[in-house]
Amino acid sequence: MKSQATRARSTRAARTRAPRVGFVSLGCPKALVDSERILTKLRSEGYEVSPTYESADLVVVNTCGFIDAAVDESLAAIGEALEHNGRVIVTGCLGANPARILERHPRVLEVTGPAAYEKVVSAVHTHLPPRHDPFEDLVPPQGVRLTPRHYAYLKISEGCNNRCSFCVIPSMRGRLASRPIDEVLREAERLVAAGVRELLVISQDTSAYGADLRYARGEWRGGEWRTRFIDLARALGSLGAWVRLHYVYPYPHVDEVIPLMAERRVLPYLDVPFQHGSPAVLKRMRRPAHAENTLKRIAQWRAQCPDLTLRSTFIVGFPGETEEEFEELLAWLEEAGLDRVGCFKYSPVQGAAANALGGHVPPAVQEERYGRFMERAAAISAARLAARVGRTMRVLVDAVADGAATARSEADAPEIDGVVRIAAARHLRVGDFADVEIVGSSAYDLAGRLV
Ligand code: SF4
């Protein structure tokens, strides 16, 4: 922690050079996009982004409060920033509950809530005034990004109108607030012009996009588009970049996007957080589209677009989950044959409605079900990847080291899915597309050879 004298020196130094902000970004890609927006704004005002606590005049911690483990991680990160810098502003999901933060870390300068860009920027102004220089404060048109240059997250909305019983995001981030389609498309256009090869569409509920705006019209490239899921997919598909759709719920209107996937206008990849396979559990979870026959829908999607990759997340050990319901989930998983699967053991989040449900599953049973679930999911993944051996696939290169490349196919989102490893790929550069023949597979990854 800095002494008062050191802090005074830091403040004086900040008056003669650009003020420096350290930034810690925790949580999901949606939080990452919030961080990028805050940083873009601060950079445009002449702030520098500091890579270390010690060289920063102040640190902003963008927190996550999704589950208790994320809350603990956020509180620990705030403590670390206080220890190494001493001047800390907290924002993000956990900021929706300032008392919880201030109780543990009373020295925090200010707490602002999720998606409160103006508030966090104005808190920075209060504690570290900007030194504006229009000749120096040049920000690239695509803004400041925390992802590599060749891919970017595109956030299309904030908040959520659903009320899943295990989730407190709506109470933290509010109701669905979509960005108008022309604004989203202009941002996507700028990103592609700046070298982005892959756009990852994110929100809390991508399939609901525009419902709050009554699917308002917008103009882009001389045409009229509506603020709705299918128009967004069509328009993004015309930009020449890979377009990957995350957080899509299996509502009937989602079917319309499958032909675009079959034509490769958008990637044949859908991230659908199914969360369970038992209708009774889904009902207790109050999941959107819980009454839909998802297995039938998946079969229809695959009939139209055989290369479709399905990614999903699940919760095991939800309150009241019986052995029969869990078996139902395993059978559902087997029949659905999902390509990519993540799994969480249910953990009660402070303020979630599900905490009041009876029949909490003991941790040992949760652990045992988690193990069985992951074993089954790994076997399905391994079989689906083995079926790709011998095929030629287009990949996007993420890293090159020692003459070998690590890339991703259409079926792999960054950070969460597998990779395609390519030996003898010295000439490839990060952000290149390449065609490879798949020559090997494991449970989650592939090996390829350049063709
Ligand atoms: S869809 Fe459900 S889980 Fe997702 S943010 Fe909304 S309420 Fe939470």
Side-chain angles (χ1 to χ4, degrees):
M1 185 174 69
K2 282 183 178 178
S3 67
Q4 288 297 336
T6 318
R7 205 172 299 155
R9 273 201 304 280
S10 306
T11 312
R12 270 198 303 280
R15 286 195 203 106
T16 53
R17 58 158 171 77
R20 289 187 192 139
V21 177
F23 210 98
V24 179
S25 186
L26 303 167
C28 61
K30 284 155 277 198
L32 188 79
V33 172
D34 292 347
S35 297
E36 290 176 339
R37 280 201 201 164
I38 296 164
L39 284 171
T40 297
K41 179 77 177 130
L42 291 175
R43 286 285 286 124
S44 73
E45 295 177 342
Y47 288 89
E48 279 179 11
V49 181
S50 167
T52 62
Y53 290 125
E54 288 73 18
S55 61
D57 299 309
L58 173 153
V59 177
V60 177
V61 182
N62 189 6
T63 57
C64 176
F66 185 51
I67 54 173
D68 281 357
V71 171
D72 291 344
E73 190 193 4
S74 294
L75 289 172
I78 297 166
E80 189 180 289
L82 280 169
E83 186 187 338
H84 293 283
N85 183 281
R87 306 187 73 223
V88 176
I89 290 172
V90 176
T91 187
C93 285
L94 193 57
N97 189 352
R100 196 162 180 196
I101 296 166
L102 292 169
E103 185 189 12
R104 176 94 158 260
H105 298 300
R107 289 192 302 119
V108 161
L109 296 173
E110 208 159 323
V111 178
T112 66
Y117 313 112
E118 284 77 22
K119 282 192 188 142
V120 70
V121 168
S122 113
V124 173
H125 290 169
T126 306
H127 299 283
L128 182 65
R131 194 197 62 154
H132 186 69
D133 181 341
F135 293 102
E136 280 182 14
D137 305 346
L138 294 175
V139 176
Q142 72 278 16
V144 176
R145 291 194 293 112
L146 298 170
T147 46
R149 188 167 173 262
H150 61 287
Y151 66 82
Y153 294 103
L154 186 64
K155 196 188 218 181
I156 58 168
S157 61
E158 293 286 355
C160 179
N161 286 351
N162 302 312
R163 290 293 176 268
C164 302
S165 58
F166 55 82
C167 178
V168 292
I169 284 179
S171 64
M172 292 193 289
R173 294 197 159 238
R175 290 183 64 75
L176 177 71
S178 303
R179 298 173 62 201
I181 190 148
D182 47 331
E183 184 187 312
V184 173
L185 293 175
R186 277 196 295 275
E187 180 184 343
E189 209 169 31
R190 282 196 297 275
L191 290 168
V192 174
V196 166
R197 300 294 185 88
E198 177 178 2
L199 294 164
L200 299 120
V201 175
I202 55 167
S203 68
Q204 306 295 346
D205 180 356
T206 295
S207 31
Y209 176 57
D212 54 313
L213 299 180
R214 294 173 186 261
Y215 310 110
R217 291 180 165 78
E219 266 200 31
W220 179 68
R221 289 189 170 177
E224 189 179 273
W225 301 83
R226 298 197 73 159
T227 305
R228 61 176 179 176
F229 176 69
I230 192 66
D231 282 34
L232 178 76
R234 278 201 192 102
L236 292 177
S238 69
L239 287 172
W242 276 6
V243 175
R244 197 179 292 283
L245 300 173
H246 287 280
Y247 313 115
V248 176
Y249 290 97
Y251 288 112
H253 74 274
V254 169
D255 297 357
E256 293 175 60
V257 84
I258 304 298
L260 298 182
M261 294 182 169
E263 294 166 17
R264 294 297 194 277
R265 307 245 305 271
V266 299
L267 290 179
Y269 178 103
L270 267 184
D271 174 5
V272 187
F274 288 110
Q275 304 298 14
H276 214 278
S278 153
V281 177
L282 287 168
K283 197 167 176 203
R284 290 203 296 278
M285 288 179 167
R286 298 195 213 140
R287 289 295 285 167
H290 67 81
E292 295 291 329
N293 184 339
T294 44
L295 287 174
K296 191 167 154 213
R297 176 146 279 128
I298 289 170
Q300 285 165 352
W301 290 345
R302 288 213 167 111
Q304 278 183 284
C305 180
D307 284 338
L308 178 66
T309 293
L310 283 171
R311 142 162 280 278
S312 191
T313 48
F314 293 86
I315 296 174
V316 293
F318 187 76
E321 184 189 69
T322 61
E323 178 59 25
E324 291 68 37
E325 287 166 343
F326 177 69
E327 289 285 348
E328 220 177 329
L329 166 62
L330 290 184
W332 186 97
L333 186 69
E334 194 75 52
E335 190 172 343
L338 300 188
D339 302 84
R340 306 293 193 186
V341 164
C343 181
F344 299 93
K345 287 163 272 183
Y346 174 76
S347 89
V349 180
Q350 208 177 51
N355 299 345
L357 293 172
H360 278 246
V361 179
V365 177
Q366 285 191 324
E367 195 62 48
E368 190 261 341
R369 288 182 187 167
Y370 175 83
R372 281 157 70 198
F373 180 93
M374 288 312 288
E375 201 177 314
R376 190 72 64 95
I380 295 168
S381 170
R384 292 190 70 82
L385 290 181
R388 298 212 178 123
V389 174
R391 289 182 56 181
T392 298
M393 300 179 86
R394 174 141 277 223
V395 297
L396 179 57
V397 176
D398 277 340
V400 183
D402 302 327
T406 306
R408 288 177 295 108
S409 73
E410 294 177 336
D412 309 306
E415 310 286 342
I416 49 174
D417 293 332
V419 295
V420 182
R421 296 205 168 78
I422 314 165
R426 196 168 294 281
H427 69 282
L428 289 179
R429 297 275 167 272
V430 172
D432 281 354
F433 283 113
D435 291 324
V436 297
E437 184 196 342
I438 302 303
V439 293
S441 68
S442 64
Y444 301 110
D445 299 324
L446 293 170
R449 180 172 51 212
L450 287 172
V451 295

